[in-house]
Amino acid sequence: MLILGIESSCDETAAAVAEITENGEKRILSNAVASQIAIHRLYGGVVPEIAGRAHSEAICPIVSEALEKAGVAAKDVDVIGVTSNPGLIGALLVGVSFAKSLAFATGKPIVPVNHIKGHVAANYFCYPELKPPFLALVVSGGHTSIIDVKSYTDFQTIGRTRDDAAGEAFDKIGRVMGLSYPCGAEMDKLASLGNPKAFTLPSAAISDETLDFSFSGLKTAVLNSLNSMAQKGEEYKKEDVAAAFTEVFTSSICKKLESAIKKTGHKTLVVAGGVSANSHLRNALLKLCKKTKTELCIPPLSLCGDNGAMIAAQAYYEYLAGNVTDTSLNASATGIR
Ligand code: KG4
Ligand code: ZN
C-alpha cells in the first residue's frame, strides 16, 4: 500500500510517500520538507498569516517532489493522509484543501490525521516491533504532553502543560538572549558549555498529584533574572542561562515521567516532537529508562521535527480503523492536547 502524507500545521510544508506491506512493514520512499524558518526568523516567531501564504506557495511543489522522489504518480497512491488538527487554522487549511482537491481528482480516500498522533507514529519506522499500549512523551513547539497510548488510534492524555509548551520556552528565552528563531538547537549546544548551577530556577513539574507541567513560571523566572541583571548592568553568560534552564526542563520532564511510568505500569516510553532532538533530554531519558527498566524509543533527528512520513504512518492505522473521510473534511485548530 502506498500512502501520501501531507503536513502543513505550523511552519513546515511537508509531503512524503510511505510504502506499507501487507504485514505492516513500513518504508519511507520520500520525505520532502519546505521549511519556512528563514521567513519567520525575521519576526522572532511564526506569523500565522504569513505561514498560510507560504504553505499555499509550497504545497504543489512539495507534493510533486515527494511523488517524484518516490518514483510514483498521484494515481498510484492508495490513501491520502493529511494533518487536519491541531495547529494554525490558516496553515492547516492549505494542506486539507490540497488533499481534498487531490482526492476529488483521483478518487482516492482521504484520512485525517492528528498532528500529535503523527509525531508518535514517526517511531514505527525506526522501531518495527513497537506496538501499543505504551507511554508517550510529546514535546514540541506547541505541545508538552504525557500520553497513555492505548491502541494505534486511542490516545489518552494523562499529563499536559497548563500554559506554555517546552519548545515555546526554549524559543522565548533564546530570543531574549538574541538567538535566532527557532532557538532550541542553539540552546542545546550552549547548554553543554555552561554551568547549570549559575541560576536557581523553579521546577516546571507542578507540585501536586497530577502529571501536569507549567513552563510559563520557569520561563518568566529566567526572563526576570535576565532583566534584573540588565538593569544592574551585570553581564551573564548565555551558556549558563541555557544550562540552568535545560537542567530544570529535563528534571521536570523526568520527574513526571517517572510517576507516569509507575502509575500506568507501561514498559515502553516513546518520545516524539521537535524538542525530542534535545541531547540533554535524550541523555536524561536514557538514564530514567535504565533506572525504571523501561524500553526507550526516540526517532532519529530527521524524524523529530514536522514531516510528512509521520503523517503517512498514522494515516495507515487510521485507515485500518476505518477513519476515512470525504471532501467535506474541515481543519480544526484544536485536537488532543
Ligand atoms: O515538532 P516541531 O518541529 O513543531 C511543532 O509541532 O511545534 O517542534 C519545533 C520546536 C521548536 O520550539 C524548536 O526550538 C524545538 O522544537 N527544538 C529543540 C531542539 N531542536 C528543535 N528544542 C530543544 N533542543 C533541541 N535540540
Ligand atoms: Zn510538530
Side-chain angles (χ1 to χ4, degrees):
M1 171 187 274
L2 289 177
I3 305 194
L4 172 66
I6 299 175
E7 155 65 36
S8 72
S9 67
C10 188
D11 58 352
E12 332 270 3
T13 321
V17 179
E19 184 181 43
I20 304 182
T21 63
E22 262 172 35
N23 55 12
E25 276 165 35
K26 297 170 196 69
R27 204 156 64 93
I28 300 173
L29 301 187
S30 64
N31 201 5
V33 181
S35 174
Q36 303 176 8
I37 282 175
I39 306 170
H40 299 294
R41 189 165 273 164
L42 302 171
Y43 307 93
V46 179
V47 183
E49 183 89 357
I50 295 175
R53 292 175 202 212
H55 283 304
S56 186
E57 269 176 31
I59 192 82
C60 284
I62 213 72
V63 172
S64 300
E65 186 184 326
L67 292 170
E68 227 165 82
K69 279 190 179 157
V72 301
K75 65 173 173 43
D76 303 327
V77 165
D78 297 295
V79 172
I80 302 166
V82 63
T83 307
S84 62
N85 72 93
L88 303 170
I89 195 70
L92 286 164
L93 280 170
V94 175
V96 166
S97 301
F98 184 90
K100 292 205 292 186
S101 311
L102 196 61
F104 183 74
T106 58
K108 306 292 175 175
I110 316 176
V111 172
V113 174
N114 173 282
H115 183 78
I116 303 303
K117 290 183 177 176
H119 269 302
V120 171
N123 284 277
Y124 297 127
F125 289 112
C126 19
Y127 300 97
E129 305 300 320
L130 177 64
K131 278 191 185 80
F134 53 73
L135 191 66
L137 167 73
V138 177
V139 267
S140 72
H143 302 271
T144 307
S145 306
I146 299 177
I147 301 171
D148 188 349
V149 179
K150 296 189 172 288
S151 75
Y152 288 108
T153 53
D154 182 8
F155 283 44
Q156 194 181 324
T157 303
I158 55 173
R160 58 172 66 82
T161 179
R162 293 186 185 171
D163 37 58
D164 292 354
E168 218 175 328
F170 270 101
D171 292 339
K172 284 192 184 148
I173 293 167
R175 187 165 83 181
V176 169
M177 296 200 295
L179 310 184
S180 51
Y181 172 86
C183 312
E186 205 178 342
M187 289 275 286
D188 189 349
K189 284 190 197 131
L190 288 173
S192 307
L193 307 169
N195 171 16
K197 304 287 172 228
F199 295 87
T200 307
L201 298 170
S203 174
I206 289 188
S207 57
D208 63 11
E209 289 304 297
T210 69
L211 299 171
D212 289 352
F213 302 97
S214 164
F215 281 96
S216 168
L218 171 58
K219 177 198 72 184
T220 308
V222 176
L223 300 184
N224 285 346
S225 299
L226 299 186
N227 281 339
S228 82
M229 284 192 294
Q231 276 167 1
K232 291 184 214 150
E234 290 171 9
E235 304 232 322
Y236 63 84
K237 283 173 74 179
K238 288 178 189 173
E239 290 84 348
D240 290 346
V241 177
F245 170 75
T246 303
E247 185 166 277
V248 178
F249 155 71
T250 52
S251 62
S252 306
I253 295 279
C254 288
K255 184 174 174 209
K256 290 296 185 184
L257 271 181
E258 190 167 353
S259 306
I261 291 168
K262 277 196 197 125
K263 254 187 195 175
T264 59
H266 283 312
K267 289 278 156 236
T268 305
L269 171 66
V270 171
V271 186
V275 184
S276 58
N278 188 273
S279 62
H280 307 273
L281 177 66
R282 287 177 168 244
N283 288 337
L285 291 175
L286 275 172
K287 282 190 199 140
L288 173 70
C289 285
K290 206 170 166 197
K291 180 179 159 195
T292 56
K293 298 192 173 54
T294 306
E295 197 195 330
L296 178 63
C297 301
I298 305 192
L301 295 189
S302 59
L303 289 176
C304 284
D306 294 346
N307 64 84
M310 68 186 205
I311 302 305
Q314 185 59 26
Y316 170 68
Y317 291 109
E318 299 291 347
Y319 179 73
L320 293 187
N323 297 331
V324 176
T325 185
D326 56 26
T327 48
S328 66
L329 173 66
N330 205 344
S332 161
T334 56
I336 53 165
R337 292 160 55 214

